[in-house]
Amino acid sequence: MVNYPHNFWLKYFMNQGNNVVVWNYRGYGCSKGTPDPYNIKRDGEAVVEYCIKVLNLKGKLSIYGRSLGGIVACHLGKNLKGLDLLIADRTLANFDILTKKKMYGRFI
Protein backbone atom coordinates (compact mmCIF):
# COMPACT_ATOMS: atom_id res chain seq x y z
CA MET A 1 0.00 0.00 0.00
CA VAL A 2 1.27 3.46 -0.86
CA ASN A 3 0.24 6.22 1.55
CA TYR A 4 0.69 9.97 1.72
CA PRO A 5 3.15 11.61 0.98
CA HIS A 6 4.25 8.90 -1.43
CA ASN A 7 0.93 8.78 -3.28
CA PHE A 8 1.27 12.49 -4.10
CA TRP A 9 4.58 11.88 -5.86
CA LEU A 10 3.33 8.76 -7.63
CA LYS A 11 0.36 10.67 -9.05
CA TYR A 12 2.62 13.60 -9.97
CA PHE A 13 5.07 11.42 -11.90
CA MET A 14 2.32 9.46 -13.65
CA ASN A 15 0.50 12.67 -14.63
CA GLN A 16 3.76 13.87 -16.20
CA GLY A 17 3.82 10.74 -18.40
CA ASN A 18 6.55 8.93 -16.48
CA ASN A 19 6.78 5.20 -15.95
CA VAL A 20 6.64 4.49 -12.22
CA VAL A 21 8.21 1.49 -10.49
CA VAL A 22 8.03 1.07 -6.72
CA TRP A 23 9.88 -1.55 -4.68
CA ASN A 24 10.85 -2.47 -1.15
CA TYR A 25 14.47 -2.93 -0.17
CA ARG A 26 15.38 -6.37 1.06
CA GLY A 27 14.10 -6.78 4.59
CA TYR A 28 11.36 -4.15 4.14
CA GLY A 29 7.69 -4.82 3.47
CA CYS A 30 7.27 -8.43 2.35
CA SER A 31 10.75 -8.75 0.84
CA LYS A 32 13.27 -11.11 2.36
CA GLY A 33 16.87 -10.53 3.31
CA THR A 34 18.78 -8.10 5.46
CA PRO A 35 19.27 -4.48 4.49
CA ASP A 36 22.78 -3.14 4.65
CA PRO A 37 24.40 -0.20 2.88
CA TYR A 38 25.93 -2.32 0.14
CA ASN A 39 22.78 -4.36 -0.53
CA ILE A 40 20.36 -1.45 -0.76
CA LYS A 41 22.55 0.30 -3.35
CA ARG A 42 22.80 -2.92 -5.37
CA ASP A 43 19.01 -3.35 -5.08
CA GLY A 44 18.52 0.08 -6.64
CA GLU A 45 20.95 -0.75 -9.46
CA ALA A 46 19.15 -4.05 -10.10
CA VAL A 47 15.74 -2.35 -10.28
CA VAL A 48 16.97 0.22 -12.82
CA GLU A 49 18.67 -2.49 -14.89
CA TYR A 50 15.50 -4.61 -14.82
CA CYS A 51 13.36 -1.66 -15.93
CA ILE A 52 15.65 -0.89 -18.86
CA LYS A 53 16.70 -4.36 -20.02
CA VAL A 54 13.74 -6.59 -19.12
CA LEU A 55 10.74 -4.26 -19.09
CA ASN A 56 12.30 -2.24 -21.92
CA LEU A 57 10.95 1.01 -20.48
CA LYS A 58 11.56 4.03 -22.68
CA GLY A 59 11.54 7.73 -21.98
CA LYS A 60 13.06 9.95 -19.37
CA LEU A 61 14.75 8.32 -16.39
CA SER A 62 13.85 9.93 -13.09
CA ILE A 63 14.61 8.68 -9.59
CA TYR A 64 12.89 9.76 -6.40
CA GLY A 65 14.14 8.62 -3.01
CA ARG A 66 12.76 9.59 0.38
CA SER A 67 14.53 9.06 3.70
CA LEU A 68 16.69 5.94 3.31
CA GLY A 69 15.67 5.85 -0.36
CA GLY A 70 17.44 9.19 -0.84
CA ILE A 71 20.76 7.47 -0.16
CA VAL A 72 20.06 4.96 -2.93
CA ALA A 73 18.74 7.69 -5.23
CA CYS A 74 21.94 9.73 -4.77
CA HIS A 75 24.06 6.63 -5.37
CA LEU A 76 22.19 5.96 -8.60
CA GLY A 77 22.40 9.60 -9.61
CA LYS A 78 26.15 9.51 -9.21
CA ASN A 79 26.62 6.27 -11.14
CA LEU A 80 23.93 6.20 -13.84
CA LYS A 81 24.39 7.68 -17.26
CA GLY A 82 21.37 9.39 -18.77
CA LEU A 83 19.51 10.26 -15.57
CA ASP A 84 17.10 13.12 -16.29
CA LEU A 85 15.85 13.92 -12.79
CA LEU A 86 16.95 13.10 -9.26
CA ILE A 87 14.92 13.97 -6.16
CA ALA A 88 16.38 13.17 -2.74
CA ASP A 89 13.54 14.00 -0.36
CA ARG A 90 14.16 14.29 3.38
CA THR A 91 17.14 12.01 3.17
CA LEU A 92 19.92 11.51 5.68
CA ALA A 93 22.84 13.82 6.30
CA ASN A 94 25.10 11.14 7.77
CA PHE A 95 24.79 7.56 6.60
CA ASP A 96 27.54 6.35 8.96
CA ILE A 97 25.45 7.18 12.03
CA LEU A 98 22.43 5.35 10.61
CA THR A 99 24.43 2.24 9.77
CA LYS A 100 25.82 2.01 13.28
CA LYS A 101 22.38 2.34 14.86
CA LYS A 102 20.02 0.58 12.44
CA MET A 103 21.79 -1.65 9.92
CA TYR A 104 24.13 -4.56 9.58
CA GLY A 105 27.27 -4.45 7.49
CA ARG A 106 29.39 -1.41 6.82
CA PHE A 107 29.25 1.67 4.65
CA ILE A 108 31.46 1.42 1.58
Side-chain angles (χ1 to χ4, degrees):
M1 178 193 294
V2 178
N3 296 318
Y4 179 83
H6 310 294
N7 61 355
F8 169 83
W9 287 109
L10 289 172
K11 288 178 186 176
Y12 173 80
F13 289 128
M14 289 187 289
N15 288 337
Q16 298 298 315
N18 293 298
N19 296 302
V20 175
V21 177
V22 181
W23 81 93
N24 285 320
Y25 303 107
R26 63 184 80 203
Y28 285 78
C30 294
S31 65
K32 297 181 182 187
T34 302
D36 69 36
Y38 178 81
N39 285 339
I40 63 172
K41 290 189 282 184
R42 300 297 86 73
D43 291 345
E45 292 170 355
V47 169
V48 171
E49 183 176 341
Y50 182 83
C51 289
I52 293 169
K53 293 183 179 178
V54 177
L55 297 178
N56 201 29
L57 295 181
K58 303 291 184 199
K60 292 183 179 180
L61 177 59
S62 302
I63 296 177
Y64 167 85
R66 180 176 175 271
S67 189
L68 179 61
I71 299 295
V72 178
C74 289
H75 168 76
L76 294 171
K78 177 182 173 189
N79 294 297
L80 282 179
K81 303 239 186 300
L83 182 64
D84 296 293
L85 175 67
L86 169 67
I87 299 175
D89 181 13
R90 292 172 271 177
T91 194
L92 309 164
N94 190 322
F95 199 41
D96 288 331
I97 292 171
L98 175 71
T99 58
K100 290 175 184 168
K101 290 183 178 181
K102 300 286 184 185
M103 304 182 100
Y104 303 100
R106 61 188 176 97
F107 181 62
I108 298 174

